[in-house]
Amino acid sequence: MSRWAAPLGALACALLGTAAAQSLPPASAAGIGSVERGRQLLANRSESGCVLCHVVPGLPAGGELGPSLVGIGQRSTAEQLRRRIADARLFNPATIMPVYFSTEGLQGVASAYKGQTVLSAQGLDDIVAYLLSVAR
Ligand code: HEC
């Protein structure tokens, strides 16, 4: 065991703590999402792409690269969903899920999109509102 293990572990925790705090997305101006707009965003393959990888409750077809989101609204809080969708790297650094509300540490972003998040704060709230509202 390296004598650096403990200090590095503490450092990693400190850094993760900071990253988590910084990545917490700001609520949209209204702080309230539109369920209908969220449904449209979730279903849109080019705007969000969620259904390419997930079965989404209430939507016809869905992909299977990621876990089914059926029941996710019943077992998550709004804050948990916001963090996960904003930046899935906080939960799994090697995730294949796109980063939707951060521009930090991304590579190969086309110059036209540099500095832009995929979703707006409102879009993120809308998606969370839909996932929390939809029945299994
Ligand atoms: C390229 C595939 C891909 C896309 C696109 C994608 N995800 Fe994911 N998602 C995953 C994978 C894989 C996981 C499993 C955890 C991990 O590996 O990070 C996941 C996990 C999740 C979870 C946690 C599920 C649980 O059971 O805890 C939520 C919520 C989620 N995604 C929502 C979304 C939403 C909303 C969108 C669109 C805005 C989206 N995902 C787009 C691949 C994707």
Side-chain angles (χ1 to χ4, degrees), residues 57-104:
L59 295 182
E64 292 182 350
L65 285 172
S68 164
L69 299 185
V70 172
I72 193 78
Q74 283 75 44
R75 56 177 192 272
S76 315
T77 64
E79 215 41 57
Q80 288 168 335
L81 289 174
R82 291 168 63 80
R83 278 177 188 260
R84 166 77 71 169
I85 299 164
D87 193 343
R89 296 173 301 184
L90 294 172
F91 300 84
N92 171 10
T95 187
I96 59 163
M97 178 161 152
V99 171
Y100 284 97
F101 200 76
S102 170
T103 57
E104 285 167 45

Side-chain angles (χ1 to χ4, degrees), residues 5-136:
L8 283 180
L11 179 64
C13 286
L15 288 176
L16 273 178
T18 318
Q22 282 174 349
S23 303
L24 187 65
S28 60
I32 305 166
S34 149
V35 171
E36 177 50 28
R37 177 70 193 145
R39 195 191 65 79
Q40 288 169 11
L41 267 175
L42 276 157
N44 189 308
R45 281 162 195 265
S46 53
E47 267 187 285
S48 74
C50 309
V51 290
L52 298 175
C53 293
H54 293 286
V55 169
V56 178
L59 295 182
E64 292 182 350
L65 285 172
S68 164
L69 299 185
V70 172
I72 193 78
Q74 283 75 44
R75 56 177 192 272
S76 315
T77 64
E79 215 41 57
Q80 288 168 335
L81 289 174
R82 291 168 63 80
R83 278 177 188 260
R84 166 77 71 169
I85 299 164
D87 193 343
R89 296 173 301 184
L90 294 172
F91 300 84
N92 171 10
T95 187
I96 59 163
M97 178 161 152
V99 171
Y100 284 97
F101 200 76
S102 170
T103 57
E104 285 167 45
L106 303 180
Q107 282 157 21
V109 178
S111 52
Y113 297 104
K114 282 223 166 77
Q116 295 177 38
T117 57
V118 177
L119 290 174
S120 64
Q122 185 64 59
L124 185 59
D125 277 350
D126 294 344
I127 286 180
V128 169
Y130 177 83
L131 290 176
L132 288 175
S133 78
V134 72
R136 290 157 193 270

